[in-house]
Amino acid sequence: MKIAELFASIQGEGRLAGVPSLFIRASGCNLRCAWCDTPYTSWRSEGEERTLDGIMEWVRGFPRFRHVVLTGGEPMIFPEIVSLSKELKQAGLHVTIETAATVFQPVACDLMSLSPKLANSTPDDPVWGPRHEQRRLQPEVLRRLTSEYDYQLKFVVQSPGDLAEIQAIQALCGASDEKILLMPEGIDGPTLEQRSAWLVELCKQHGYRFAPRLHILLYGQRRGV
Ligand code: SF4
């Protein structure tokens, strides 16, 4: 499995924000978001092949961590994720999978952190623009993941105009309001601050959870933290 980075940190996003967690970041993605915050796993995929045994050995080096996050890139495009997730669960860890929800695999997972990509993610690129647009929403995959796993739906929001699309996806999944987390798009403090101001109000109006990006507030855009 091609891995961009393995690191021990705290979860920065979603309902487990703040929980000490081990991160296994796969490199490779079937999408190309215009604002991708890990372009070293998508636009220019970097990393090295690691065996499952090697990954598990690294995990065992952190016995105090009870949570592990499989992220990317898009971890669900790798067939190895099925065995890896099962081994992690057998080792007694709480497994979160962070995915854009375009691919289904029968993984072992305690929390599916689904982040379907909205129209604001489509890049202005002659090759990847149409490909991304055609792939970014897969209703059948979304329905299956939300019916078979505990989940959260986490959206990257750029403007209040994104709301209609979020509500359409919520209806598609039959998700209650508390499953919906809205996160401001942005990788620098001032942008996040400016977008958070109106996004918090939107959350209050609609009963959605506001999701800050704790890791960016703490570490900025540094890798491996
Ligand atoms: S799905 Fe995630 S990793 Fe892939 S391009 Fe979009 S933001 Fe980047």
Side-chain angles (χ1 to χ4, degrees):
M1 189 166 175
K2 191 173 177 186
I3 299 293
E5 54 192 358
L6 301 172
F7 59 99
S9 186
I10 55 157
Q11 174 58 279
E13 300 174 351
R15 73 187 199 208
L16 293 175
V19 175
S21 305
L22 298 173
F23 288 81
I24 299 170
R25 189 185 298 288
S27 188
C29 188
N30 57 343
L31 300 180
R32 293 291 185 277
C33 298
W35 40 253
C36 180
D37 57 358
T38 55
Y40 53 95
T41 67
S42 57
W43 288 97
R44 42 163 220 289
S45 166
E46 298 171 8
E48 55 187 57
E49 288 296 325
R50 300 263 194 152
T51 63
L52 295 197
D53 286 350
I55 296 171
M56 290 305 296
E57 194 183 324
W58 176 80
V59 167
R60 282 191 285 271
F62 297 88
R64 295 187 76 93
F65 283 71
R66 305 316 307 153
H67 286 247
V68 64
V69 182
L70 296 170
T71 187
E74 176 49 81
M76 295 288 266
I77 61 173
F78 295 89
E80 302 95 318
I81 195 174
V82 177
S83 330
L84 177 59
S85 62
K86 287 180 180 164
E87 282 198 42
L88 290 164
K89 279 284 290 173
Q90 274 162 15
L93 288 151
H94 176 286
V95 177
T96 298
I97 297 183
E98 296 184 333
T99 172
T102 59
V103 179
F104 182 87
Q105 297 227 46
V107 288
C109 177
D110 297 290
L111 174 61
M112 270 293 169
S113 185
L114 307 170
S115 186
K117 298 300 180 267
L118 304 177
N120 69 34
S121 66
T122 303
D124 182 15
D125 181 275
V127 176
W128 274 102
R131 195 179 291 169
H132 177 98
E133 191 53 33
Q134 184 251 327
R135 290 178 178 173
R136 71 180 170 85
L137 277 183
Q138 299 296 328
E140 282 314 310
V141 175
L142 261 170
R143 279 198 203 98
R144 192 163 176 197
L145 289 170
T146 51
S147 64
E148 295 189 18
Y149 296 94
D150 186 18
Y151 70 94
Q152 61 187 9
L153 273 166
K154 206 173 59 174
F155 294 97
V156 178
V157 185
Q158 254 182 358
S159 76
D162 292 336
L163 183 66
E165 210 181 346
I166 291 166
Q167 289 173 321
I169 296 172
Q170 178 181 9
L172 176 86
C173 300
S176 58
D177 292 343
E178 65 265 26
K179 294 275 193 197
I180 310 293
L181 289 83
L182 304 189
M183 206 164 62
E185 193 270 311
I187 53 171
D188 63 83
T191 307
L192 288 180
E193 207 176 313
Q194 185 266 326
R195 289 192 168 137
S196 297
W198 54 259
L199 190 55
V200 165
E201 297 308 314
L202 203 75
C203 288
K204 280 155 61 179
Q205 271 169 27
H206 293 275
Y208 296 152
R209 189 187 294 204
F210 174 73
R213 310 186 83 177
L214 197 52
H215 55 301
I216 292 180
L217 296 173
L218 289 171
Y219 304 117
Q221 263 302 85
R222 274 162 52 203
R223 279 166 68 165
V225 284

